[in-house]
Amino acid sequence: MKRNTVDIITLGCSKNLVDSEKLMRQLEANGYKVTHDAERPQGEIAVINTCGFIGDAKEESINMILEFCQAKEEGRLKKLYVMGCLSERYLQELQVEIPQVDKFYGKFDWNGLLHDLGKAYQAEHAIERCLTTPRHYAYLKISEGCDRKCSYCAIPIITGHHVSRPMEEILDEVRLLVSEGVKEFQVIAQELTYYGVDLYHRQALPELIERMAAVPGVEWIRLHYAYPAHFPNDLFRVMREHPNVCNYMDIALQHISDNVLEKMRRHVTKAETYELIERFRREVPGIHLRTTLMVGHPGETEQDFEELKEFVRKVRFDRMGAFAYSEEEGTYSAEAYTDDIPQEVKQRRLDELMEIQQGISAELNQRKVGQTLKVIIDRKEGEYYVGRSEFDSPEVDPEVLIKDEGQALATGTFYEVTVVDADDFDLYAEVR
């Protein structure tokens, strides 16, 4: 057990990761040595940053907490603290169920954690972080919370109302990260398109991205988690005019059937969704669209599902994920509907949808053979250098594999490559 060492374990999404990175910087400023997701945590203190979004994530968080409780019981750990979304949502219950944890904190209560360690929050380090990603890219969280009230989603219950960060503060953070070697920014929020409505009484995302694009040293900006209703149209121009704003948009559409969209309380129609996609492709040539879809929401009929399959075949998303509905207590769905679709039906629909997408991904990848792409190298793995193009976000998207044939490629450096082969998900390329 290493004295004065804190192990941070992060579960869930990249937004949680940013919270962990900020906490790590505060702990370091207070004299601690900090590790993140260490293979064999050996610190005397552990902090688990939990996820509470859906059933599987909650289960993973609980299992991780219990694992560390055991380490504490065996004398391999002195103090165990738990924070994050699960802790925010089930604080009272967790305190009763798992008393071995020294203290549970809500999602935003790092100050309390520091205070209980006998330390103080240091405001001069507010925008600083200890990056856990490769040093050439970072996640940039521009707001917290969500004002949308989608029927199935527990996020507003956990995170509360949408709160935008001031634009100047975000830009200061971008400049600081660039000075530390970051070239690529994944801009994230629970809901990007609402950015600025609370602070500036308008959708300010286009202005923020345009100002970010003007910061020297920012090579790539990629946008994650947009909402389709009331999309800020000026963003099309910003994406088109600024070469360092990637032709990439992650926009969770969830469904296409008007029946299901209404039940989901998405405030958008089938016609509006098709129109938005068409506009993206018309106004931002070369755009790659990533989406997430849901099957099995209460009331989804076989006809609704057929519409969804047709949508996926027609639109041919460059990147697509899907998941089956799981009832979350406290949400509108849990109270207003019966979870009436059997698990095996949900699973069949999910498998069918992903099978269609796999064929589309393979075809779209084959079309890239012979093309020249700009890629950034993330790492070396076995006999391949692993890179990404502007169309590939870390962790979630395909990669570009370049065989090591004696040429030394540097991590975090851009190269022009020619695509020579493709499989269902990844591309194979040679440096030009």
Side-chain angles (χ1 to χ4, degrees):
M1 191 169 23
K2 291 182 179 169
R3 287 203 61 231
N4 235 30
T5 298
V6 182
D7 293 312
I8 308 265
I9 290 84
T10 304
L11 302 167
C13 66
S14 50
K15 294 176 284 295
N16 262 13
L17 189 69
V18 171
D19 295 341
S20 288
E21 291 176 342
K22 293 201 164 191
L23 174 62
M24 286 166 71
R25 180 67 189 97
Q26 287 292 329
L27 289 167
E28 279 196 356
N30 277 291
Y32 286 99
K33 184 176 183 299
V34 187
T35 73
H36 184 262
D37 285 352
E39 272 187 38
R40 286 192 299 278
Q42 293 174 334
E44 60 180 356
I45 300 167
V47 180
I48 302 173
N49 189 356
T50 56
C51 178
F53 178 42
I54 54 174
D56 288 351
K58 288 190 239 182
E59 193 178 324
E60 186 189 12
S61 292
I62 295 286
N63 289 340
M64 185 66 74
I65 295 167
L66 295 176
E67 207 177 294
F68 275 82
C69 286
Q70 192 176 337
K72 192 180 170 203
E73 281 166 12
E74 291 168 4
R76 293 182 284 123
L77 180 67
K78 267 194 180 168
K79 294 279 185 186
L80 174 59
Y81 299 107
V82 174
M83 60 183 276
C85 295
L86 187 80
S87 191
E88 175 78 28
R89 195 167 178 203
Y90 300 107
L91 196 66
Q92 276 18 81
E93 298 93 318
L94 288 167
Q95 284 169 345
V96 174
E97 295 289 327
I98 316 180
Q100 303 95 311
V101 172
D102 289 280
K103 193 158 178 186
F104 290 91
Y105 301 88
K107 182 170 167 54
F108 310 107
D109 192 15
W110 315 324
N111 297 15
L113 174 57
L114 291 163
H115 178 265
D116 289 341
L117 289 170
K119 307 294 180 183
Y121 178 82
Q122 302 194 11
E124 66 271 27
H125 300 298
I127 62 168
E128 296 174 21
R129 290 193 256 154
C130 294
L131 287 186
T132 58
T133 52
R135 61 190 299 266
H136 54 275
Y137 73 79
Y139 293 98
L140 184 74
K141 183 156 58 167
I142 63 169
S143 64
E144 190 68 76
C146 186
D147 284 358
R148 309 291 184 184
K149 293 286 188 283
C150 303
S151 64
Y152 49 84
C153 186
I155 286 174
I157 300 169
I158 298 167
T159 60
H161 281 299
H162 180 105
V163 179
S164 303
R165 292 177 62 198
M167 205 175 295
E168 295 307 329
E169 181 188 291
I170 296 169
L171 293 167
D172 283 344
E173 185 175 344
V174 169
R175 285 186 279 266
L176 176 66
L177 288 165
V178 167
S179 75
E180 293 172 353
V182 174
K183 302 173 181 180
E184 175 188 358
F185 291 85
Q186 325 299 336
V187 179
I188 57 171
Q190 271 84 20
E191 208 282 74
L192 278 184
T193 58
Y194 211 76
Y195 175 76
V197 171
D198 53 329
L199 273 186
Y200 309 113
H201 310 294
R202 60 189 168 82
Q203 288 174 295
L205 184 67
E207 183 190 335
L208 173 66
I209 299 306
E210 191 149 44
R211 290 183 65 186
M212 267 184 74
V215 174
V218 174
E219 299 252 8
W220 275 354
I221 299 168
R222 201 177 281 107
L223 301 174
H224 282 279
Y225 322 123
Y227 187 87
H230 311 294
F231 194 83
N233 291 330
D234 197 34
L235 197 57
F236 296 126
R237 177 193 62 76
V238 172
M239 295 181 85
R240 194 171 57 241
E241 289 180 3
H242 295 277
N244 57 351
V245 180
C246 296
N247 282 344
Y248 180 102
M249 175 56 73
D250 185 347
I251 183 163
L253 297 171
Q254 306 298 1
H255 217 284
I256 193 62
S257 145
D258 279 329
N259 170 46
V260 179
L261 288 170
E262 191 174 331
K263 284 185 163 61
M264 287 180 165
R265 307 169 92 199
R266 292 287 287 171
H267 305 292
V268 71
T269 64
K270 175 178 182 171
E272 287 164 347
T273 303
Y274 271 109
E275 196 180 308
L276 179 64
I277 290 164
E278 188 191 320
R279 187 160 181 191
F280 255 117
R281 289 178 167 164
R282 186 174 69 244
E283 296 210 22
V284 190
I287 186 77
H288 278 49
L289 293 175
R290 157 174 270 285
T291 198
T292 310
L293 301 173
M294 181 193 286
V295 298
H297 186 280
E300 182 191 50
T301 64
E302 281 299 331
Q303 187 186 334
D304 294 327
F305 179 59
E306 287 303 319
E307 267 185 70
L308 187 61
K309 289 198 296 188
E310 177 66 12
F311 176 57
V312 171
R313 287 192 197 100
K314 249 187 195 167
V315 170
R316 296 170 67 79
F317 289 102
D318 303 276
R319 314 277 181 252
M320 191 198 91
F323 61 102
Y325 170 83
S326 76
E327 185 174 278
E328 291 298 311
E329 63 266 57
T331 60
Y332 181 86
S333 281
E335 288 164 13
Y337 308 129
T338 304
D339 187 3
D340 57 355
I341 298 172
Q343 192 54 44
E344 58 271 24
V345 174
K346 292 178 187 174
Q347 193 57 50
R348 172 182 62 76
R349 290 177 183 175
L350 186 59
D351 293 343
E352 276 185 47
L353 205 60
M354 290 315 294
E355 195 180 330
I356 294 168
Q357 180 60 26
Q358 189 171 343
I360 291 166
S361 294
E363 281 175 41
L364 294 177
N365 264 5
Q366 283 299 330
R367 285 189 189 177
K368 288 197 167 87
V369 174
Q371 287 184 17
T372 297
L373 296 174
K374 177 184 174 182
V375 301
I376 193 163
I377 302 297
D378 279 343
R379 63 189 184 282
K380 175 99 186 291
E381 213 169 82
E383 55 180 350
Y384 288 98
Y385 289 100
V386 182
R388 289 174 295 103
S389 72
E390 69 172 297
F391 312 121
D392 310 312
S393 199
E395 308 291 339
V396 293
D397 287 331
E399 293 170 319
V400 182
L401 307 176
I402 302 150
K403 195 154 192 182
D404 179 8
E405 289 170 339
Q407 79 285 42
L409 304 186
T411 300
T413 300
F414 289 98
Y415 294 91
E416 294 277 317
V417 302
T418 302
V419 180
V420 293
D421 198 5
D423 59 26
D424 286 3
F425 295 105
D426 296 323
L427 301 175
Y428 296 83
E430 293 171 353
V431 176
R432 292 187 70 194

